[in-house]
Every structure is written in C-alpha cells, then in structure tokens.
Amino acid sequence: MRFTLLIILSAIPLLGIIVDNARAAGTESEGAVYVIPAHQTVQSGLASFLDRAMTEAEDAKASLIVLDIDTPGGRLDTAEEIGKRIRSATVPTVAFVSGKAASAGAYLALNAGDIAMAPGTTIGAAMIVDGAGNAVENPKLVSFWSEEMAAAAQINGRDPAIAVGMVDPNRVVEMKEIGETKEKGQIISLSAEKALKVGYSEKMAKTAEEVIAWKGLSDRTVIALNPSFAERVSAAVTSPGFGTLLLIIGIAGIAIEFLVPGFGVPGIIGLISFGLYFFGQSIAGFAGMESLVVFLIGIGLLVLEVFIPSFGVLGILGIAAVVFGITMGAYDKGNALQSLGIAILVAAVIVGVFVYIFRKRGIWNRFILNEQLTTDKGFVPQQSREKWIGQEGMTTSMLRPSGMADFGEQRLDVITSGEFIEKGRRIRVISVDGTRILVKEI
C-alpha cells in the first residue's frame, strides 16, 4: 500500500510536466502568424498577391497577419481594392511599416487593425500626383481621396483630420500631441515617433518578430509568404509603362516579321512580348483565355486580309478583335486603350524605319514583276516589222481577211482591212501595228 502511494506521488510531477508540454504543444499549433510583404508599387500585381496570401492565411485559420509595408504608393483605385480586402479579413491584421508608407501605402496601413512602425520610417504624404509627379488639383478628386483616408483612419479610432492633412495641402490641421500645426501648402508626413504620439501607430518595433512578440504570439509558427515567380512577373508586367512597352515590342515585332519576312527573331520577340502581356494580366486576375483567343483571331484576320481580297472587311474585323482582346484582358479599359494607341504610334515609327532599311526584302516585292526579259537570260526580243511596209508578196492562202503570204523567202501572217483576196494574188504591205501586218491587193 505504501509502495503504491509512493509511486502515485512520484508520478504527479511527471503528469504535470506532460500536461504542461501538451498545453504548450496545443498553443503552438493554434494558428500560425503570417508575414506578408508589400514592398512594391501599389498596382494590380500587388493586389493579386495580397489577396492570394491573405486568403491562404484565412484558410489556415492563422492567428495574425502582419503586413510588412514599404511602398512609395501607386494607383488609388488599386489601393481602394486592397484596403477593402484588408478590412474584410477574417484574421486580425497589423500593418508593420518597415520602410515608408507613403501615399497609397498610408491608406493600406490605416485599414489594418493596428499599426507598428520601425524607427526612421514614415507614414503619410498621400497627396494625389500624376504620372510625372505633379500635384493634381482637381477639387473633386482631392475631396474624394481625403474622405477615403479619413474613413480609414476613423475605423480604428484615429484622428481623421490628420489623414485629411496627408492629402489636402489646403487644409490646416493642428496636432496638439506634438505641438505642431500643418499650414496651407503643406502635407503631413509623420515619423515613427510622431505617429506614435498622435495615435497613428500603436507600437515602435525594429522587426516583424518584435511585432509578433508585442501581440503575445512569439510561441506561434511564423510563415513568411513571398510573391511567386509568376506573381513577380505579373507585378512587373502590370506596372505602369511596362505593359505599354510590351505592346510596342509585340506590335513592332509581328509587323516587321510579316512585312520583311526571313528574319524570324522579330516575330519570336513579338510573340513573347504579347505572351508576357497576357500572362501578367492573367496572373493578376484580369485576362482570361477568352481575351487571348479573341486577340489571336484578330491577328489571323489581319494576315488573311493581305492574301484574300475582302475590300477591307477582314482588316477591320481583325483590328477590332485585336483591340478588344487587349482591352478585355486589362484592369483599366480606358488606360489599356491609351496604352494601345501609344504603342501603335511608336511601333509604326519603328516598323517604318526597319522597312526602309530592308526595303529590298519586303513582302511587297512578291507582287511586283522585277524580272527583266533580256537576251542574256534566254529571252528573244520581238523584231521590229516596220521594214515590211511597202514590200510586195504573194498570197499562199485565201485571205478571209487573214491568211498567209510569201515575201521573198519568208512567209508571214497577214490581214486585210476586211476584204477577201484569192490565193496567188499579189499584195503590198501598207501598215504594221505590233505583230499585225495589214496588206492590200495590187
């Protein structure tokens, strides 16, 4: 009895250790922490990657999503799309500003549940600018984006006036926490220290691991998701300007290969460029197989137009199909049309220069007779018959009104002006028109 009691008492600490280990194991298996980087321009490629990564974290029932933000900004419409996706996430989110969250990047950060910033980083400077970096002064657009920023700030109890001051240079904003006032003509950009004081971040952390520790999840598995190779290609292809460049190369390459055949390389490069364009749009979730099929049909119709007379019908249908295929596979139809127009103009100049340089090899040479019918190539020229004018001969057959006649030792085909002449009558040549020898009876 005593021995049994001794065994039980000795086993109690061991049972405690087993229970603690089981609890620890259970804690570690309860949802990993997903670290998702946003280290590129805010555009459609980034939106596609973030949606895929956040969906993966939600499906895995993650404990936390850490959005590692370092971006100079980008497209506002894409930022709205990403912001909506962050707000709708079923997993808690923290925006960790590891570099800068400027312009559209600030909007992404404001939509997260919490914001942590690394020392030396900034958030703000969300003024709307055009492609050249110049401020856009459209009051309606500025007002709309200001309200979007303010709404994102209010979601998590942040001062909306500061968010508006990041966008509108004409708004005066007083920030009592740091003893500063934004005057007209300025926009707000907060350092990590100032953002913490005014409530635009909740934590200063040097690394994502510190952010995870701050959330009390250091014991969880950390999964770092990075863009796949296809997503990196898609991000490059869908970035501003690059898609237009691919269209230029594609149009020029195909046109050069078609007009000046025999090279091969321009055609291959053109096909690769179009392939990359549709591949990038497809990975980003915009272009489907139908847009590629329509585009290829358009190219086929343009080729047929050259060889099959259709009075322009095939050409018009081909151009329409190409334009429709490219635009239906793009994120922004208007922007795609603009890019296509620029690409056509630039490609036309490139093709024109290339065709001029290699004009002797052009396809048009197949439709032009350049062969010279010279004697050195075996061709015998037609001898002039002017010498027969005035010559006299004898008909060897009846002329009705044409027939045969002998002129000395040479027999010729002759013809009258309509009258019949019997065989064996004397005739005289009165005119010659090409191979036609006109005679009259003497």
Side-chain angles (χ1 to χ4, degrees):
M1 185 67 178
R2 291 180 180 178
F3 180 74
T4 303
L5 183 60
L6 181 61
I7 293 175
I8 294 174
L9 293 175
S10 301
I12 289 177
L14 182 60
L15 289 173
I17 294 173
I18 294 173
V19 171
D20 289 341
N21 289 338
R23 288 177 178 173
T27 301
E28 290 179 0
S29 64
E30 289 178 359
V33 175
Y34 280 70
V35 179
I36 304 174
H39 292 175
Q40 63 190 66
T41 304
V42 178
Q43 38 80 27
S44 54
L46 178 62
S48 176
F49 162 64
L50 290 180
D51 179 59
R52 191 266 298 176
M54 294 182 71
T55 300
E56 183 176 330
E58 290 171 336
D59 293 341
K61 300 188 184 302
S63 299
L64 180 68
I65 293 176
V66 178
L67 295 173
D68 187 343
I69 297 176
D70 182 9
T71 175
R75 295 180 60 93
L76 301 186
D77 50 359
T78 306
E80 287 186 80
E81 178 186 349
I82 297 174
K84 182 178 179 180
R85 180 65 182 88
I86 295 173
R87 293 194 303 270
S88 64
T90 58
V91 175
T93 57
V94 174
F96 171 52
V97 182
S98 60
K100 57 183 176 181
S103 190
Y107 181 76
L108 303 189
L110 289 176
N111 280 280
D114 292 305
I115 299 177
M117 298 179 65
T121 61
T122 57
I123 183 173
M127 182 172 61
I128 304 174
V129 297
D130 57 20
N134 300 316
V136 174
E137 298 180 357
N138 186 324
K140 292 184 178 179
L141 189 58
V142 173
S143 176
F144 169 77
W145 187 236
S146 297
E147 291 302 318
E148 287 290 305
M149 287 285 289
Q154 286 180 309
I155 290 174
N156 296 296
R158 299 185 176 97
D159 186 357
I162 295 178
V164 173
M166 293 178 176
V167 179
D168 190 353
N170 295 319
R171 191 70 62 92
V172 176
V173 179
E174 185 178 359
M175 295 176 284
K176 297 180 180 180
E177 297 85 353
I178 57 176
E180 294 182 9
T181 301
K182 185 200 85 68
E183 304 293 346
K184 285 188 177 181
Q186 300 175 340
I187 55 173
I188 295 176
S189 180
L190 299 172
S191 65
E193 292 78 8
K194 291 181 179 180
L196 185 62
K197 292 179 180 178
V198 300
Y200 264 62
S201 76
E202 286 73 38
K203 178 69 175 179
M204 285 187 64
K206 294 182 180 180
T207 63
E209 287 73 17
E210 290 187 18
V211 176
I212 297 171
W214 167 52
K215 287 296 181 178
L217 299 172
S218 298
D219 56 342
R220 305 299 172 88
T221 301
V222 178
I223 299 176
L225 291 180
N226 292 298
S228 64
F229 175 76
E231 287 170 333
R232 288 195 294 270
V233 172
S234 175
V237 170
T238 56
S239 62
F242 198 86
T244 305
L245 178 61
L246 287 178
L247 291 177
I248 292 173
I249 297 174
I251 294 172
I254 297 296
I256 290 172
E257 185 62 36
F258 180 70
L259 295 174
V260 191
F263 288 96
V265 176
I268 294 173
I269 293 176
L271 290 175
I272 292 174
S273 297
F274 279 126
L276 284 174
Y277 177 84
F278 282 101
F279 174 77
Q281 299 293 343
S282 176
I283 294 298
F286 308 132
M289 183 58 67
E290 64 279 0
S291 62
L292 178 59
V293 171
V294 171
F295 172 79
L296 293 177
I297 291 174
I299 294 293
L301 291 173
L302 290 176
V303 173
L304 289 176
E305 173 63 28
V306 177
F307 298 100
I308 301 177
S310 67
F311 304 99
V313 174
L314 291 176
I316 294 173
L317 291 176
I319 293 173
V322 168
V323 172
F324 187 66
I326 291 175
T327 53
M328 73 184 294
Y331 176 71
D332 187 328
K333 304 297 187 291
N335 186 59
L337 284 173
Q338 181 181 1
S339 297
L340 183 59
I342 295 173
I344 291 174
L345 292 176
V346 176
V349 175
I350 296 174
V351 172
V353 173
F354 203 93
V355 165
Y356 177 79
I357 295 174
F358 297 97
R359 57 188 178 278
K360 293 184 179 180
R361 300 183 59 173
I363 192 173
W364 48 85
N365 290 316
R366 298 180 180 180
F367 308 101
I368 301 174
L369 181 61
N370 292 320
E371 187 73 24
Q372 294 182 350
L373 308 180
T374 57
T375 55
D376 60 326
K377 294 184 178 180
F379 296 97
V380 179
Q382 178 67 42
Q383 295 180 354
S384 174
R385 297 193 173 190
E386 297 292 330
K387 67 178 183 178
W388 297 109
I389 298 177
Q391 297 289 326
E392 296 182 1
M394 183 75 68
T395 59
T396 58
S397 69
M398 186 174 180
L399 306 186
R400 303 180 179 178
S402 63
M404 303 294 295
D406 285 341
F407 293 85
E409 298 180 354
Q410 188 165 351
R411 180 166 293 183
L412 301 174
D413 290 320
V414 295
I415 188 170
T416 70
S417 58
E419 67 274 12
F420 287 8
I421 301 177
E422 296 290 335
K423 177 182 177 181
R425 300 295 181 90
R426 292 187 62 77
I427 57 175
R428 179 184 293 116
V429 178
I430 59 176
S431 67
V432 175
D433 183 10
T435 60
R436 182 172 179 269
I437 300 175
L438 185 65
V439 297
K440 184 177 182 180
E441 185 179 3
I442 299 175

Coordinates of all heavy atoms in Angstrom, one line a residue, residues 231-269:
E231 N 4.0 35.6 -59.9 CA 3.4 36.9 -59.4 C 4.4 38.0 -59.5 O 4.0 39.2 -59.7 CB 3.0 36.7 -57.9 CG 1.8 35.8 -57.8 CD 1.5 35.4 -56.3 OE1 2.5 35.4 -55.5 OE2 0.3 35.2 -56.0
R232 N 5.7 37.7 -59.4 CA 6.7 38.8 -59.6 C 6.7 39.2 -61.1 O 6.8 40.4 -61.4 CB 8.1 38.3 -59.2 CG 8.3 38.1 -57.7 CD 9.7 38.0 -57.4 NE 10.3 36.8 -57.9 CZ 10.4 35.6 -57.2 NH1 9.8 35.6 -56.0 NH2 10.9 34.6 -57.8
V233 N 6.6 38.3 -62.0 CA 6.5 38.6 -63.4 C 5.2 39.4 -63.7 O 5.2 40.5 -64.4 CB 6.4 37.3 -64.3 CG1 6.2 37.7 -65.8 CG2 7.8 36.6 -64.2
S234 N 4.1 39.0 -63.1 CA 2.8 39.7 -63.2 C 2.9 41.2 -62.7 O 2.4 42.1 -63.3 CB 1.7 39.0 -62.5 OG 0.5 39.7 -62.5
A235 N 3.6 41.3 -61.6 CA 3.8 42.7 -61.0 C 4.6 43.6 -61.9 O 4.3 44.8 -62.1 CB 4.5 42.6 -59.6
A236 N 5.6 43.0 -62.6 CA 6.4 43.8 -63.5 C 5.6 44.1 -64.7 O 5.6 45.3 -65.2 CB 7.7 43.0 -63.9
V237 N 4.9 43.2 -65.3 CA 4.1 43.4 -66.5 C 3.0 44.4 -66.3 O 2.7 45.2 -67.2 CB 3.6 42.0 -67.0 CG1 2.6 42.2 -68.1 CG2 4.7 41.1 -67.4
T238 N 2.3 44.3 -65.2 CA 1.2 45.2 -65.0 C 1.6 46.5 -64.4 O 0.7 47.4 -64.1 CB 0.2 44.5 -64.0 OG1 0.8 44.2 -62.8 CG2 -0.4 43.3 -64.7
S239 N 2.9 46.8 -64.2 CA 3.3 48.1 -63.6 C 3.2 49.1 -64.7 O 3.2 48.8 -65.9 CB 4.8 48.0 -63.2 OG 5.6 47.7 -64.3
P240 N 3.0 50.4 -64.3 CA 2.8 51.5 -65.3 C 3.9 51.6 -66.3 O 5.1 51.6 -65.9 CB 2.7 52.7 -64.4 CG 2.3 52.2 -63.0 CD 3.0 50.9 -62.9
G241 N 3.6 51.6 -67.5 CA 4.6 51.8 -68.6 C 5.1 50.5 -69.1 O 5.4 50.4 -70.3
F242 N 5.3 49.5 -68.3 CA 5.8 48.2 -68.8 C 4.9 47.5 -69.8 O 5.3 46.9 -70.8 CB 6.2 47.3 -67.6 CG 7.2 46.2 -68.0 CD1 8.5 46.4 -68.0 CD2 6.7 45.0 -68.4 CE1 9.4 45.4 -68.3 CE2 7.6 44.0 -68.8 CZ 9.0 44.2 -68.7
G243 N 3.6 47.5 -69.5 CA 2.6 46.9 -70.4 C 2.6 47.6 -71.7 O 2.5 46.9 -72.8
T244 N 2.7 48.9 -71.7 CA 2.8 49.7 -73.0 C 4.1 49.3 -73.8 O 4.0 49.1 -75.0 CB 2.8 51.2 -72.7 OG1 1.7 51.6 -71.9 CG2 2.8 52.0 -74.0
L245 N 5.2 49.1 -73.1 CA 6.4 48.7 -73.7 C 6.3 47.3 -74.4 O 6.7 47.1 -75.5 CB 7.6 48.7 -72.7 CG 8.9 48.2 -73.2 CD1 9.4 49.2 -74.4 CD2 9.9 48.2 -72.1
L246 N 5.6 46.4 -73.7 CA 5.4 45.1 -74.2 C 4.5 45.1 -75.5 O 4.7 44.4 -76.5 CB 4.7 44.2 -73.2 CG 5.6 43.7 -72.1 CD1 4.8 42.8 -71.1 CD2 6.8 42.9 -72.6
L247 N 3.5 46.0 -75.5 CA 2.6 46.1 -76.6 C 3.4 46.7 -77.8 O 3.2 46.3 -79.0 CB 1.4 47.0 -76.3 CG 0.4 46.5 -75.3 CD1 -0.7 47.5 -75.0 CD2 -0.2 45.2 -75.9
I248 N 4.3 47.7 -77.5 CA 5.1 48.3 -78.6 C 6.0 47.2 -79.2 O 6.0 47.0 -80.5 CB 6.0 49.4 -78.1 CG1 5.1 50.6 -77.6 CG2 7.0 49.8 -79.1 CD1 5.9 51.7 -76.9
I249 N 6.7 46.4 -78.4 CA 7.6 45.4 -78.9 C 6.8 44.3 -79.7 O 7.2 43.8 -80.7 CB 8.4 44.7 -77.8 CG1 9.3 45.8 -77.1 CG2 9.2 43.6 -78.3 CD1 10.0 45.3 -75.9
G250 N 5.6 43.9 -79.1 CA 4.8 42.9 -79.7 C 4.3 43.3 -81.1 O 4.4 42.6 -82.1
I251 N 3.7 44.6 -81.2 CA 3.2 45.1 -82.5 C 4.3 45.2 -83.5 O 4.2 44.8 -84.7 CB 2.4 46.4 -82.3 CG1 1.2 46.2 -81.4 CG2 2.0 47.0 -83.6 CD1 0.5 47.4 -81.0
A252 N 5.4 45.8 -83.1 CA 6.5 46.1 -84.0 C 7.1 44.7 -84.5 O 7.4 44.6 -85.6 CB 7.6 46.9 -83.3
G253 N 7.3 43.8 -83.5 CA 7.9 42.5 -83.9 C 7.1 41.7 -84.9 O 7.6 41.2 -85.9
I254 N 5.8 41.6 -84.7 CA 4.9 40.9 -85.6 C 4.8 41.6 -86.9 O 4.9 40.9 -88.0 CB 3.5 40.8 -85.0 CG1 3.5 39.9 -83.7 CG2 2.5 40.1 -86.0 CD1 4.0 38.5 -83.9
A255 N 4.7 42.9 -86.9 CA 4.6 43.7 -88.2 C 5.9 43.5 -89.0 O 5.9 43.4 -90.2 CB 4.3 45.2 -87.9
I256 N 7.1 43.6 -88.3 CA 8.3 43.5 -89.1 C 8.5 42.1 -89.7 O 8.9 42.0 -90.8 CB 9.5 43.8 -88.1 CG1 9.5 45.3 -87.8 CG2 10.8 43.4 -88.7 CD1 10.5 45.7 -86.7
E257 N 8.1 41.1 -88.9 CA 8.3 39.7 -89.4 C 7.3 39.5 -90.5 O 7.6 38.7 -91.5 CB 7.9 38.7 -88.2 CG 8.2 37.3 -88.6 CD 9.6 37.0 -89.0 OE1 10.5 37.6 -88.4 OE2 9.8 36.2 -89.9
F258 N 6.2 40.1 -90.5 CA 5.2 39.9 -91.6 C 5.6 40.7 -92.9 O 5.5 40.2 -94.0 CB 3.8 40.4 -91.1 CG 2.7 40.2 -92.2 CD1 2.3 38.9 -92.5 CD2 2.2 41.3 -92.8 CE1 1.3 38.8 -93.5 CE2 1.2 41.2 -93.7 CZ 0.8 39.9 -94.1
L259 N 6.0 42.0 -92.7 CA 6.4 42.8 -93.8 C 7.7 42.5 -94.4 O 8.0 42.7 -95.6 CB 6.3 44.3 -93.4 CG 4.9 44.8 -93.0 CD1 5.0 46.2 -92.5 CD2 3.9 44.7 -94.2
V260 N 8.7 42.1 -93.6 CA 10.0 41.8 -94.0 C 10.4 40.4 -93.6 O 11.1 40.2 -92.6 CB 11.1 42.8 -93.5 CG1 12.4 42.7 -94.2 CG2 10.6 44.3 -93.7
P261 N 9.8 39.4 -94.2 CA 10.0 38.0 -93.7 C 11.4 37.5 -93.9 O 12.2 38.1 -94.7 CB 9.0 37.2 -94.6 CG 8.9 38.0 -95.9 CD 9.0 39.5 -95.4
G262 N 11.7 36.5 -93.2 CA 13.0 35.8 -93.3 C 13.9 36.0 -92.1 O 14.9 35.3 -92.0
F263 N 13.6 36.9 -91.2 CA 14.5 37.1 -90.0 C 14.1 36.1 -88.9 O 15.0 35.5 -88.4 CB 14.3 38.6 -89.5 CG 14.9 39.6 -90.4 CD1 14.2 40.3 -91.4 CD2 16.3 39.9 -90.3 CE1 14.7 41.2 -92.2 CE2 16.9 40.8 -91.2 CZ 16.1 41.5 -92.1
G264 N 12.8 36.0 -88.6 CA 12.4 35.1 -87.5 C 12.5 35.7 -86.1 O 11.6 35.5 -85.4
V265 N 13.6 36.4 -85.8 CA 13.8 36.9 -84.5 C 12.7 38.0 -84.1 O 12.1 37.9 -83.0 CB 15.2 37.5 -84.3 CG1 15.4 38.2 -83.0 CG2 16.2 36.4 -84.5
P266 N 12.4 39.0 -85.0 CA 11.4 39.9 -84.6 C 10.0 39.3 -84.3 O 9.3 39.7 -83.3 CB 11.3 40.8 -85.8 CG 12.6 40.7 -86.5 CD 13.0 39.3 -86.3
G267 N 9.7 38.3 -85.1 CA 8.4 37.6 -84.9 C 8.4 36.9 -83.5 O 7.4 36.9 -82.8
I268 N 9.5 36.2 -83.2 CA 9.6 35.5 -82.0 C 9.5 36.4 -80.8 O 8.8 36.2 -79.8 CB 10.9 34.6 -81.9 CG1 10.8 33.5 -83.0 CG2 11.1 34.0 -80.5 CD1 12.1 32.7 -83.1
I269 N 10.2 37.5 -80.9 CA 10.2 38.5 -79.8 C 8.8 39.1 -79.6 O 8.3 39.4 -78.5 CB 11.3 39.6 -80.1 CG1 12.7 39.0 -80.0 CG2 11.1 40.8 -79.1 CD1 13.8 40.0 -80.4

